[in-house]
Amino acid sequence: MKERIIGKTGRSVSEIGLGTWQLGTRWGDPFDREEAVRILSAAEEAGVTFIDTADVYNDGMSETMIGEYLSAHPANFFITTKCGRGLHPHTAENYTPAAVAGFIDASLRRLRREQIDLILLHCPPTSVYQRDDIFSELERQKKIGKIAGYGVSIEKVSEGLAAMEYDITAIEVIFNMFRLKPAEELFPKALEKKVGIIARVPLASGILTGRYTMETHFSAGDHRSFNREGKAFDKGETFSGVPYELGLETAQELKRIFATEDLAPIAIRWILMHEAVSVVIPGASRASQLLDNVRAAELPPLDDTQMKAVESLYNEKLRAIIHPQW
């Protein structure tokens, strides 16, 4: 597994990491502790060193399982967690320095760690990205040693640009073949400021595997069923905001461009072609998925013709509806 430096930390992490929203569960299914252990074990064996989680994933169970695994199998994992989505209601007013401090302490307990490698504000209301009191508290937590670095997870490119006015370590952003705007507007400034980029939702909720059809069934508890119009959270989290039928159509075009039926490793390799990206974090609900994802690290670089073809397809089919929203 190749490694990249993450932001100004000076630390190297595997260029393909593990996102743990689905750790030990498929969307809407019960949590499976044994499968969660198998996934983390497979990650360690495959050379994955970057683990992304959040305090709200599986109501804290994702952090808890990572903590339990590390206690039993000390691994060289760089742990990034996120905080804030547990606020009720999730409003800017409820983001306070005391709340942030409490989130950090709770994550430390679940992760069984004395220090968190990186903590991110978890897609808060837009105004929070310009709150001096919140970033001052994160800096204080860094100085007292509870966190080694801090940053933000964002929905909109403008939020990442605002957050880089502070001394952040990294930005987590949706970036994939359906979402090209970050490369145009966010990545150049991130490179200039040595801010790491964590690319999330790399497969656009699965459409970019190339395996979905109009007949694909999603359970009632799966966000791909209930959040297509943003009824539960930002619709950009579901299929990257692309209408399902249009996403299927675009994925078929991508399969034609790359002459493959298995688009997933190509989609991940495409992300890694961007210099600003520190790590890409596909999720896995079972160990075999993780092993499929890390195969992308073995692929040769894509050529200029292929990169331009993806850009042209985006401009033709998606830019007009995706670019203005995020």
Side-chain angles (χ1 to χ4, degrees):
M1 176 70 71
K2 295 178 182 177
E3 296 188 335
R4 300 186 181 198
I5 301 294
I6 182 159
K8 56 179 74 79
T9 65
R11 290 184 61 180
S12 296
V13 298
S14 57
E15 63 181 7
I16 299 176
L18 171 64
T20 63
W21 188 1
Q22 299 161 263
L23 183 66
T25 180
R26 293 184 178 89
W27 304 119
D29 290 346
F31 186 78
D32 185 335
R33 296 176 68 95
E34 292 183 358
E35 189 62 42
V37 172
R38 284 193 286 269
I39 292 167
L40 292 169
S41 179
E44 183 179 5
E45 291 178 12
V48 172
T49 60
F50 187 95
I51 307 292
D52 175 86
T53 185
D55 54 6
V56 295
Y57 288 174
N58 281 298
D59 295 323
M61 185 56 72
S62 177
E63 285 186 335
T64 298
M65 287 303 305
I66 292 166
E68 289 182 6
Y69 183 85
L70 287 172
S71 293
H73 313 84
N76 184 34
F77 287 154
F78 182 105
I79 305 297
T80 293
T81 193
K82 301 183 287 294
C83 69
R85 298 299 297 191
L87 290 169
H88 298 290
H90 185 241
T91 62
E93 292 75 21
N94 279 338
Y95 274 84
T96 65
V100 170
F103 290 141
I104 290 171
D105 286 342
S107 288
L108 283 167
R109 288 193 296 272
R110 285 188 291 268
L111 290 166
R112 302 187 185 188
R113 289 202 151 192
E114 295 183 359
Q115 185 183 69
I116 296 168
D117 296 312
L118 177 64
I119 194 159
L120 309 175
L121 299 179
H122 197 175
C123 299
T126 298
S127 63
V128 176
Y129 296 98
Q130 296 174 290
R131 286 269 300 278
D132 291 352
D133 60 335
I134 298 302
F135 286 95
S136 292
E137 176 60 25
L138 289 167
E139 186 63 31
R140 187 184 76 84
Q141 293 284 329
K142 181 179 176 180
K143 287 180 179 176
I144 64 177
K146 290 189 177 182
I147 60 176
Y150 58 88
V152 294
S153 183
I154 63 174
E155 299 288 2
K156 301 176 181 178
V157 165
S158 59
E159 295 168 340
L161 294 173
M164 278 192 281
E165 296 303 311
Y166 300 95
D167 189 27
I168 63 173
T169 299
I171 295 172
E172 189 168 293
V173 59
I174 295 176
F175 182 59
N176 57 47
M177 289 173 163
F178 288 174
R179 280 281 192 100
L180 272 59
K181 187 174 180 177
E184 294 180 10
E185 300 185 22
L186 187 70
F187 290 5
K189 188 170 183 180
L191 283 169
E192 176 189 334
K193 289 182 169 284
K194 296 184 179 179
V195 171
I197 294 292
I198 303 164
R200 64 189 181 94
V201 196
L203 301 178
S205 307
I207 286 192
L208 284 172
T209 64
R211 301 168 195 153
Y212 292 177
T213 69
M214 288 300 295
E215 286 69 48
T216 301
H217 173 73
F218 303 106
S219 69
D222 190 323
H223 74 104
R224 293 171 292 187
S225 289
F226 64 76
N227 195 58
R228 295 187 187 188
E229 301 302 321
K231 292 180 179 178
F233 40 82
D234 192 292
K235 70 178 182 179
E237 299 285 347
T238 303
F239 304 129
S240 293
V242 176
Y244 186 63
E245 188 170 353
L246 178 58
L248 293 178
E249 179 184 319
T250 307
Q252 287 301 314
E253 286 295 309
L254 288 165
K255 288 163 69 173
R256 181 187 59 78
I257 289 169
F258 290 99
T260 182
E261 287 298 310
D262 186 9
L263 193 56
I266 296 290
I268 293 171
R269 189 67 184 88
W270 178 87
I271 292 170
L272 292 172
M273 292 297 296
H274 294 80
E275 179 188 2
V277 172
S278 302
V279 58
V280 55
I281 51 168
S285 59
R286 54 188 183 275
S288 59
Q289 279 186 334
L290 179 136
L291 296 176
D292 285 343
N293 291 334
V294 299
R295 284 195 299 117
E298 302 169 3
L299 296 180
L302 305 184
D303 61 39
D304 287 344
T305 300
Q306 292 170 322
M307 296 298 289
K308 288 176 181 176
V310 174
E311 183 178 1
S312 295
L313 185 63
Y314 173 83
N315 288 337
E316 175 190 343
K317 291 186 174 294
L318 305 179
R319 187 183 184 98
I321 61 170
I322 298 300
H323 237 66
Q325 295 191 72
W326 295 283

